Amino acid sequence: MTRTQSWIGFLATGLLLISLAMVVIREPALQSRAATTQLQTAVVQGVDIYLENCVVCHGASGEGLGVYPALNAIAEMDPVELYRTIERGRYATQMAAYGIDEGGILSQAQIESLVSLIQNVDWNSVYTIADARDLIPPEMVVAEIPEETMTMVSELVDGERLSDGLTLYAENCTSCHGINMEGTVLAPALDTDTLRATETYELARIIEQGVPGTLMAGWDNALDDEQVDSLVALILRWPDIQTAGVEIPVVEAEPLDMSPEAIASGERLFSITCTSCHGIDGYGSPLAPALNNILFLDSTSDAAMRQIIAMGVNGTVMPAWGGRFSDAQINAIIAYLRSLQPTAPTITQSQ
Ligand code: HEC
Ligand code: HEC
Ligand code: HEC
């Protein structure tokens, strides 16, 4: 942090205190000086905890990033409910349970200061402090899907749909399900008669919603209905395509840039967005398993890591980062994780 940045941070904290004092003055029940000071302390502590743990999903202005809800308009929410949400999380969503008693990392006093923050803070000051500390999370980027012409497939019956499906499959599914749908250590084969006997709507549902608690993410945020239909058609008509002798277009992953710059940039992104759950230097925390772990690093390919980071782990608090980070940023994070491999410890216990 530069000297100017720390001054900005200092000034922003000052502004935050002034704006809070105004809130308190407007609130007759809190007109005593002691109450003002107490509230100010809580909110200032809350900002630090917020920036360390919550900003990656709820945004530096509490505006909510992507699919994550805003917190800047829920000041009126029942404080007990607010406390409970942070302490216990929301079941089967990416909102983790942060309370120590619930397996999380925050004490009662820390959660109380977050509640004070949400109820009283001027979110512009939070943004200014985040900015001064260089903690503004990266903006959402739109994943680009390159067009590919697949003449042979297009010439089959309903070929347009199949070629779309094939392009989508090559881009999104091969790292886990294999280039020819033959399956890998990470995921089952999709080229099976059993799967082809499954109802169309059921296949679409699996692709859209995923299988909770497994690496099969729900793709409904990344793919529209038509794209899901193309993938379903591709799975059902796979034998036709093979009979036609079509070569599968493998989208070549760019070789990982392991330059010191890439690793440093990955380390920075990791420390802003991942350490709150995966621990400092990826050593793990009660919220998420260690990634700085030889078993994980040895058994997971770059392509698989890319998919897991981009799509998240459905039904757990592991978020999908694909909408947030560019491919280059995800690659930088992977380069950083790879740089830990030579010294990574063996951790057998999983969370
Ligand atoms: C990985 C992303 C993520 C992180 C990190 C995260 N949350 Fe959430 N949060 C969510 C999601 C998703 C929901 C919506 C859950 C649901 O559908 O009910 C949510 C909901 C909430 C709600 C309820 C909002 C409402 O309108 O009902 C509060 C309050 C909240 N989070 C506070 C926090 C606090 C405080 C932190 C940091 C300690 C935090 N969150 C960290 C994803 C996250
Ligand atoms: C990060 C790895 C991963 C990626 C990427 C992935 N899947 Fe999966 N998929 C899985 C796993 C693991 C399962 C098995 C889930 C279970 O245990 O039921 C699965 C299951 C499925 C099933 C159900 C198979 C069955 O026999 O029940 C379908 C269909 C499927 N995936 C389609 C896709 C499609 C289409 C894509 C690309 C858009 C895709 N998957 C991408 C990991 C992945
Ligand atoms: C809100 C908490 C949270 C955040 C933030 C988070 N993760 Fe995770 N992550 C998890 C959890 C929980 C799991 C384990 C999911 C499961 O049960 O399979 C996980 C699993 C993973 C895995 C798979 C590990 C394995 O052993 O298979 C990778 C890779 C990963 N996360 C990378 C990241 C990266 C990179 C970031 C930052 C961009 C990140 N995570 C941020 C909670 C989080």
Side-chain angles (χ1 to χ4, degrees):
M1 204 193 311
T2 65
R3 188 175 288 237
T4 334
Q5 278 178 321
S6 52
W7 266 104
I8 298 172
F10 184 73
L11 286 175
T13 309
L15 287 174
L16 178 73
L17 292 177
I18 295 167
S19 68
L20 279 168
M22 315 254 292
V23 170
V24 175
I25 289 161
R26 273 189 271 113
E27 188 68 62
L30 285 173
Q31 263 171 8
S32 81
R33 195 171 281 245
T36 313
T37 315
Q38 215 176 8
L39 177 65
Q40 287 178 339
T41 313
V43 174
V44 170
Q45 277 166 1
V47 173
D48 283 338
I49 304 166
Y50 183 82
L51 293 180
E52 275 163 31
N53 297 286
C54 324
V55 72
V56 291
C57 294
H58 294 294
S61 309
E63 76 280 23
L65 298 176
V67 297
Y68 303 111
L71 301 185
N72 59 8
I74 57 165
E76 304 303 318
M77 191 167 150
D78 174 17
V80 175
E81 168 65 10
L82 206 48
Y83 184 96
R84 221 177 262 152
T85 301
I86 304 170
E87 182 189 35
R88 302 183 189 169
R90 291 266 169 90
Y91 180 70
T93 75
Q94 289 174 2
M95 179 62 202
Y98 282 89
I100 285 176
D101 293 345
E102 308 291 323
I105 50 178
L106 301 180
S107 68
Q108 192 180 332
Q110 287 175 313
I111 298 176
E112 277 163 6
S113 57
L114 284 168
V115 172
S116 293
L117 171 94
I118 293 169
Q119 289 185 315
N120 299 293
V121 85
D122 167 7
W123 286 96
N124 291 326
S125 331
V126 180
Y127 183 90
T128 314
I129 296 171
D131 193 22
R133 295 199 199 148
D134 222 0
L135 284 176
I136 305 279
E139 294 194 357
M140 310 286 284
V141 292
V142 181
E144 91 185 58
I145 298 170
E147 294 280 322
E148 244 177 85
T149 29
M150 307 189 55
T151 340
M152 271 180 90
V153 179
S154 316
E155 281 162 5
L156 296 172
V157 179
D158 202 13
E160 206 55 39
R161 186 189 294 274
L162 289 182
S163 65
D164 287 349
L166 199 45
T167 310
L168 290 167
Y169 182 82
E171 283 170 8
N172 299 301
C173 323
T174 49
S175 61
C176 291
H177 289 289
I179 291 169
N180 285 295
M181 298 200 186
E182 73 278 25
T184 69
V185 287
L186 293 173
L190 299 180
D191 177 18
T192 67
D193 289 334
T194 326
L195 204 58
R196 281 189 285 271
T198 310
E199 296 287 352
T200 314
Y201 68 82
E202 176 60 13
L203 283 178
R205 195 193 57 78
I206 295 173
I207 298 171
E208 276 165 3
Q209 293 169 25
V211 183
T214 77
L215 289 177
M216 180 60 194
W219 292 81
D220 56 351
N221 288 323
L223 304 175
D224 63 28
D225 289 354
E226 205 172 317
Q227 291 174 316
V228 171
D229 287 347
S230 306
L231 283 163
V232 170
L234 182 79
I235 292 172
L236 296 176
R237 295 201 37 218
W238 192 249
D240 297 357
I241 292 179
Q242 285 191 314
T243 315
V246 173
E247 294 264 324
I248 309 309
V250 183
V251 177
E252 280 293 330
E254 288 171 37
L256 207 55
D257 172 6
M258 290 294 292
S259 65
E261 295 76 31
I263 293 172
S265 125
E267 179 170 13
R268 217 185 83 73
L269 289 169
F270 190 87
S271 67
I272 299 177
T273 39
C274 321
T275 46
S276 58
C277 290
H278 289 287
I280 307 230
D281 297 333
Y283 282 121
S285 86
L287 288 176
L291 302 177
N292 190 349
N293 162 9
I294 200 67
L295 298 179
F296 165 73
L297 290 168
D298 278 357
S299 65
T300 315
S301 70
D302 293 346
M305 270 197 221
R306 220 168 264 130
Q307 295 286 1
I308 297 168
I309 297 170
M311 297 304 297
V313 183
N314 203 351
T316 79
V317 297
M318 170 63 191
W321 300 98
R324 189 84 60 77
F325 290 145
S326 66
D327 291 351
Q329 287 173 315
I330 292 182
N331 284 341
I333 293 175
I334 297 170
Y336 164 66
L337 291 173
R338 287 285 173 231
S339 77
L340 303 172
Q341 206 155 350
T343 54
T346 308
I347 298 170
T348 41
Q349 177 207 351
S350 71
Q351 303 286 334

